[in-house]
Amino acid sequence: MWNAVQCAVQGTSHIKFDVPCQDRTCYKCQNGVSVVSLADGAGSCSLSHLGAESVTQNLCSNMVNNFDNYFRNSDGVEVKKEILKLVTEELEKVSKEQNCSIKLLSSTLLFVAVKNDLFILGHIGDGVIGYLKGDELKIASGPMNGDFVNTTVFTTSSSALLSMNLIKGNLNDINSFVLMSDGAESVFYDKINKKLAVGLKKIIFVSRMLSQEYVETKIKHFFENTVRKFTQDDCSLICLSNISNFSFLSLSDTNKRSLLKISTSVSKRVYRRYLYILELLSKNSLTCNELAKLVYLKPKYLLSKLLKLANLGLIEKNGDLYSLCILNYDDNKKTM
């Protein structure tokens, strides 16, 4: 089972000049296919946000209906032509509705679709598509720029077909894909070394463990208060993750400490106490006093630890009871 979390926030320059966010993301799950798409509208085109909305929605609808045909077709150029044909037809409809040139609807396009153990990904323009294989972050497709500095390729460009990156294959150990616009690149992508920021792992892990609503709220807050300080551009990201073969207990101690915000300088005793609290709450909802007896802490000292876990979204308080919020805590006993 695959799940997605997504976020798109207005850039500082667009806030200043009252320009709408031109980034769009979309997720659909149908016919056994899970697909995510992202488009970054051209900053110089006043209606590019409408184009970005059109291509993301159209691409996802297209993929859930035609995944098998596209995957079986060994002619990659033919597949690219068909995808671009459908995208362009929808853009032409929007241009007629808006009585504008199709060029005003220009945007990039990134997408990933998965079905069973297979995937298809495509990329036109800037932005990055990455993936997590096992515990290693890798680049699937990097930014594709135009012939001049600070230019890129769009779905409406004459070179869209030639520039489009299309990859099909078996998932093997790939458990997550992440798509980002060039605004998000400034924080999550090292252009010189062509590497993704390790911090993306945390977003992926929590997206596989916690509720979509909670994770998207936290990502939006992070983007609004941190990411867009490094760029004037709109910032967007969408993450597609397999949540059926994952559990909190399967994480390494390094990744568990990262999620719990416990550095390696903190003693193992303190770290294990947090793990024990989560283990106890995975079995039953408990009051602070009940937990305090089981972990051998006075309630007043335990409260700060419970507050930290609640702020991390790992537990929640309902009345006097604390409960676990981790959806996939144990491989042998999923709480979904």
Side-chain angles (χ1 to χ4, degrees):
M1 180 178 177
W2 292 73
N3 190 29
V5 295
Q6 53 195 314
C7 175
V9 300
Q10 193 178 19
T12 54
S13 64
H14 285 178
I15 293 173
K16 182 178 179 180
F17 296 105
D18 196 26
V19 176
C21 178
Q22 294 171 321
D23 284 9
R24 291 292 187 274
T25 59
C26 182
Y27 163 64
K28 286 191 179 181
C29 182
Q30 191 178 327
N31 302 328
V33 179
S34 296
V35 55
V36 291
S37 61
L38 181 151
D40 179 357
S44 59
C45 300
S46 59
L47 298 179
S48 65
H49 57 290
L50 300 181
E53 180 73 19
S54 173
V55 299
T56 51
Q57 294 288 333
N58 170 263
L59 187 284
C60 285
S61 296
N62 181 14
M63 275 294 155
V64 297
N65 291 316
N66 297 299
F67 182 96
D68 292 337
N69 293 333
Y70 290 150
F71 197 90
R72 286 195 297 262
N73 192 336
S74 59
D75 189 337
V77 174
E78 185 180 334
V79 173
K80 292 180 186 180
K81 286 180 177 178
E82 181 62 21
I83 291 172
L84 278 173
K85 177 176 176 289
L86 294 175
V87 164
T88 302
E89 286 175 351
E90 290 301 313
L91 287 175
E92 288 173 345
K93 291 179 183 178
V94 177
S95 70
K96 289 179 181 179
E97 292 171 358
Q98 298 296 321
N99 192 27
C100 71
S101 165
I102 194 172
K103 291 294 183 181
L104 288 181
L105 304 172
S106 297
S107 75
T108 63
L109 175 61
L110 299 79
F111 69 87
V112 174
V114 299
K115 182 177 183 180
N116 299 324
D117 295 325
L118 308 174
F119 75 88
I120 302 174
L121 69 80
H123 188 180
I124 299 172
D126 52 25
V128 178
I129 300 178
Y131 62 97
L132 185 66
K133 186 172 185 178
D135 198 38
E136 187 177 358
L137 281 169
K138 297 186 176 184
I139 305 294
S141 184
M144 289 176 281
N145 301 111
D147 296 328
F148 303 98
V149 177
N150 295 326
T151 65
T152 190
V153 182
F154 300 116
T155 52
T156 56
S157 301
S158 59
S159 59
L161 178 63
L162 184 62
S163 301
M164 184 177 182
N165 194 9
L166 182 72
I167 302 173
K168 299 186 289 184
N170 293 323
L171 288 168
N172 295 323
D173 293 328
I174 297 175
N175 54 62
S176 298
F177 291 93
V178 58
L179 289 60
M180 68 187 77
S181 66
D182 64 337
E185 280 181 38
S186 56
V187 170
F188 296 113
Y189 179 60
D190 181 345
K191 292 184 179 180
I192 297 176
N193 298 305
K194 295 183 179 180
K195 290 185 177 181
L196 293 171
V198 177
L200 278 173
K201 282 187 182 181
K202 188 169 184 178
I203 292 178
I204 291 171
F205 290 151
V206 296
S207 74
R208 301 175 78 187
M209 288 193 306
L210 306 178
S211 72
Q212 178 184 352
E213 181 181 3
Y214 173 84
V215 176
E216 290 184 342
T217 299
K218 288 295 184 181
I219 293 176
K220 183 178 181 182
H221 182 268
F222 177 62
F223 270 52
E224 289 177 338
N225 294 278
T226 303
V227 175
R228 68 179 173 195
K229 290 181 180 179
F230 295 88
T231 178
Q232 296 185 38
D233 202 359
D234 296 331
C235 304
S236 59
L237 177 146
I238 185 165
C239 180
L240 180 68
S241 297
N242 188 341
I243 62 175
S244 60
N245 61 351
F246 174 83
S247 73
F248 175 80
L249 293 184
S250 69
L251 292 174
S252 65
D253 280 334
T254 299
N255 289 329
K256 285 176 184 173
R257 279 181 176 268
S258 176
L259 282 173
L260 293 168
K261 292 189 176 180
I262 299 175
S263 69
T264 53
S265 62
V266 176
S267 70
K268 287 185 178 180
R269 181 181 179 184
V270 172
Y271 164 61
R272 288 171 179 167
R273 180 166 278 154
Y274 276 101
L275 294 183
Y276 189 40
I277 291 171
L278 294 177
E279 180 186 347
L280 291 169
L281 293 179
S282 73
K283 299 172 182 177
N284 293 294
S285 296
L286 299 167
T287 66
C288 179
N289 287 336
E290 289 170 336
L291 276 168
K293 292 178 182 178
L294 294 170
V295 299
Y296 303 105
L297 270 182
K298 291 183 178 180
K300 64 179 181 179
Y301 297 128
L302 176 62
L303 277 173
S304 63
K305 291 177 170 45
L306 295 176
L307 179 60
K308 177 178 180 177
L309 291 173
N311 287 336
L312 292 172
L314 302 177
I315 68 172
E316 64 180 356
K317 184 181 181 183
N318 293 304
D320 292 331
L321 292 175
Y322 289 89
S323 304
L324 191 72
C325 292
I326 301 175
L327 301 177
N328 295 345
Y329 176 77
D330 189 344
D331 275 326
N332 299 314
K333 185 180 179 182
K334 303 289 187 183
T335 55
M336 285 187 63

